[in-house]
Amino acid sequence: MKLYKKMKLFYDLLSQPSRTLFIYLKLNKIPFEACPVALRKGEHLTEDFKEKCSKFGKVPFIHDGDFRLTESVAIVRYLSEKYNVNEPLYPKDAQLRGKIDEYLEWQHHNIRANCSMYFIMKCIEPLFKEVPDKKLAAFKKRMEKSLVDIQELFLKDQEYLAGNSFTVADIFAATEIDQLRATGYDPKDNRPVLAAWLDRVKSNCEPYYSETHEIVERFAKKSKL
Ligand SMILES: N[C@@H](CCC(=O)N[C@@H](CS)C(=O)NCC(=O)O)C(=O)O
């Protein structure tokens, strides 16, 4: 009998792309061994970690036997090919996939950069140094511009980011946008289009959405105290 080793996913649920991959794997019923890495404890900062685990010293990453891969978007593409689970979250159809990839390329310098920088300025940097109000305001402005773009450039005439079907692009975006609640900022406020989309994405991902966002929920509650 041939014994297959399960792929290992290294992640921290406080990391947006980690939550995306966790949800993606669960929705596609791809078996994996969950290997949490506690970023807050600095478990990823050692040279040993970089050499043996992830050359970039970041999560998420996978070990699939001897094969190691970092970068969440690259991992989704690898998994969709390896497990042939393209439909419906990352369809093979050239035009459908083109639209998903359009968002995935756009997000790096927009939603990903601007929402995570606001989170860092509001929740992480103050643990080490004072963040001037002016600096925080500048990051807030960029983050809000990205939210406007999501509504106006992507959701104007369609239900989801890449068309009228729920895809992996929506999972990537929702995990970034929802994390803003941990800073005490509700991205749904005064944005009915974005709010309705976020609710749709969440219900497509349940029960894994709630499972992976428990930590965001905890931060959000704390931010209101
Ligand atoms: N582009 C990467 C981003 C990876 C990344 O920035 N991970 C963060 C958590 S969200 C991390 O591990 N940060 C630890 C550090 O930079 O020390 C991906 O999509 O996988």
Side-chain angles (χ1 to χ4, degrees), residues 12 14-18 21 39 44-45 49 56-61 70-75 107-108 112 116 120 172 176 179:
D12 183 331
L14 202 49
S15 142
Q16 309 87 313
S18 291
L21 280 188
L39 295 181
H44 60 302
L45 296 176
F49 180 92
F56 298 136
K58 291 186 191 289
V59 293
F61 58 93
T70 59
E71 287 298 326
S72 52
V73 171
I75 294 170
Q107 65 151 0
H108 295 298
R112 165 78 185 149
S116 63
I120 289 167
F172 271 104
E176 295 289 347
Q179 178 138 325

Side-chain angles (χ1 to χ4, degrees), residues 24-99:
Y24 185 80
L25 285 162
K26 289 284 189 183
L27 288 179
N28 281 305
K29 298 188 171 51
I30 297 172
F32 67 98
E33 182 183 332
C35 305
V37 177
L39 295 181
R40 277 166 297 172
K41 293 186 189 155
E43 286 178 6
H44 60 302
L45 296 176
T46 62
E47 278 312 307
D48 194 48
F49 180 92
K50 284 188 189 161
E51 200 177 306
K52 294 202 182 117
C53 299
S54 157
K55 62 185 174 203
F56 298 136
K58 291 186 191 289
V59 293
F61 58 93
I62 57 165
H63 286 180
D64 193 8
D66 291 335
F67 182 67
R68 297 171 180 193
L69 196 61
T70 59
E71 287 298 326
S72 52
V73 171
I75 294 170
V76 160
R77 289 178 179 147
Y78 167 75
L79 294 174
S80 79
E81 289 307 311
K82 175 166 177 183
Y83 292 91
N84 201 19
V85 289
N86 299 297
E87 310 297 336
L89 295 183
Y90 193 48
K92 269 225 189 277
D93 175 90
Q95 291 188 353
L96 292 175
R97 183 165 290 198
K99 282 292 174 191

